[in-house]
Amino acid sequence: MRKTAAKLLTAAALATSLATVASGSAVADPAAGVTPAAQDIVGVGSDTIQVLLNQFSADYNASLGAGSTAPHLYSWDATGTSPITTKTGATSIARPNGSGAGIKALVANTSATVDFARSSRGPAATDAHGLDFVALAKDAVTWSAPSTGNAPAQLTSAQLTAIYNCTTTNWTQINASLPNATIKPFLPQADSGTRSFFLGAIGVTTPGACVTTGPEENEGTDANLTDPNVVFPYSVAHYLGQTVGGHGTATDAPGSLTLRNIVVNGATLTPITNNVINTKFANSSFGRVVYNVVRDTEWTATDAHGQALQAIFGSNGWICTDPVAAADLASYGFLATPACGVATLT
């Protein structure tokens, strides 16, 4: 019954996945043969929203029309060959993997190299001053486990805290009826915004010694995540994009991982309802806003560069108002937010 309940949580999504996961449409990095121009708007950072930004890039640039000299939009993936030369005349940089690394690259360079950072976490006390976190969409983060593994269909927030603090290390501590097996909690790599958000949501400052760091976020195909006792945080939107949206690839896919419920204040919250993020889950402590981060001096500027940033990311810009962008957002599993384009200054 336990394993059946876990499978039913995302049965519809998984069925769609089997039919569509091999047909992914996301394009990694600027298209082959395309070198962004010096005036183009170029971003790096988060793995979670990179495929969405890749799609935005294709559709926004198409909206400008053939031969347009207006700044185009481009996005470099979190992983791949490194270093990268992001645009014409740019200084080559190590490829930033994750929200934290993207934000650091934004701070360390100028618009000659990086114009924005993709971020799946909000502003942090450790971030540099003078950055604008521009709201993009709503997402949520839950925990995942292999479909045929030993994990139950749901855990409480407190149980997740204990697992990642390593005070709960065996499934029998969760429920005596569960297998007598050691829980294996994993976290994405250190600069991951999903890692940062998830740990904040469960109130863990420093993960315990039993926690393994390393897999790329939202990639259940990692061989380390096939163990029947694995627990791993996962973006609900990215999961929906991989499965229901059909945007998964051979590596960017959930593999055997399925999303699980979280009990918050006595209420069982299911991440997905009718193949979209459950609104109650998105509005809980496990719901989050994802962002594009820019330099405030450029975001508020009235020159051509500032106008280009606003035309793409602003409240009245293409991402927040164009129906094609809205369709992209839904296809990749994210929920629209009325705060789209609103900036939070660090």
Side-chain angles (χ1 to χ4, degrees), residues 26 48-57 136-137 290 325 328-330 332 334:
T48 298
I49 58 174
Q50 70 180 22
V51 286
L52 174 62
L53 264 294
N54 287 340
Q55 190 65 59
F56 280 165
S57 170
L136 170 61
V290 293
D328 290 344
L329 206 68
Y332 284 87
F334 294 89

Side-chain angles (χ1 to χ4, degrees), residues 38-326:
Q39 75 269 21
D40 288 336
I41 304 302
V42 176
V44 295
S46 168
D47 174 288
T48 298
I49 58 174
Q50 70 180 22
V51 286
L52 174 62
L53 264 294
N54 287 340
Q55 190 65 59
F56 280 165
S57 170
D59 292 336
Y60 177 74
N61 294 344
S63 77
L64 296 176
S68 172
T69 58
H72 285 50
L73 173 65
Y74 294 100
S75 187
W76 290 83
D77 283 358
T79 60
T81 57
S82 184
I84 55 175
T85 303
T86 55
K87 60 169 78 175
T88 301
T91 301
S92 293
I93 60 172
R95 183 187 291 266
N97 183 2
S99 303
I103 292 167
K104 291 170 189 173
L106 183 71
V107 172
N109 295 278
T110 68
S111 59
T113 301
V114 176
D115 299 283
F116 70 96
R118 305 182 303 269
S119 182
S120 61
R121 66 160 175 85
T126 54
D127 289 331
H129 294 297
L131 300 177
D132 282 309
F133 280 68
V134 183
L136 170 61
K138 283 295 295 288
D139 185 17
V141 177
T142 191
W143 65 286
S144 65
S147 58
T148 57
N150 292 323
Q154 60 192 43
L155 290 171
T156 68
S157 181
Q159 287 168 337
L160 286 167
T161 302
I163 287 171
Y164 280 90
N165 275 331
C166 299
T167 55
T168 293
T169 58
N170 192 292
W171 292 117
T172 58
Q173 292 174 265
I174 301 293
N175 189 311
S177 67
L178 294 176
N180 180 13
T182 300
I183 302 170
K184 296 185 178 179
F186 278 77
L187 285 171
Q189 50 86 18
D191 277 316
S192 162
T194 294
R195 171 196 175 107
S196 174
F197 174 83
F198 179 73
L199 290 176
I202 63 174
V204 174
T205 301
T206 303
C210 71
V211 179
T212 301
T213 291
E216 189 67 17
E217 60 190 275
N218 311 312
E219 291 188 6
T221 52
D222 188 303
N224 292 304
L225 302 178
T226 60
D227 186 285
N229 299 300
V230 158
V231 175
F232 188 59
Y234 218 100
S235 159
V236 182
H238 199 97
Y239 184 92
L240 285 167
Q242 291 170 327
T243 56
V244 176
H247 302 298
T249 66
T251 55
D252 186 16
S256 67
L257 296 182
T258 59
L259 304 190
R260 307 301 172 96
N261 300 333
I262 301 178
V263 181
V264 180
N265 297 324
T268 299
L269 300 179
T270 302
I272 296 171
T273 302
N274 297 324
N275 287 342
V276 297
I277 299 176
N278 183 344
T279 303
K280 289 184 178 179
F281 199 93
N283 290 334
S284 76
S285 55
F286 291 90
R288 64 175 173 179
V289 175
V290 293
Y291 302 86
N292 289 300
V293 187
V294 295
R295 304 174 190 90
D296 182 65
T297 54
E298 297 169 3
W299 180 247
T300 56
T302 57
D303 61 7
H305 186 257
Q307 291 175 23
L309 289 174
Q310 291 285 346
I312 297 169
F313 304 118
S315 298
N316 296 316
W318 184 85
I319 285 176
C320 296
T321 63
D322 194 279
V324 173

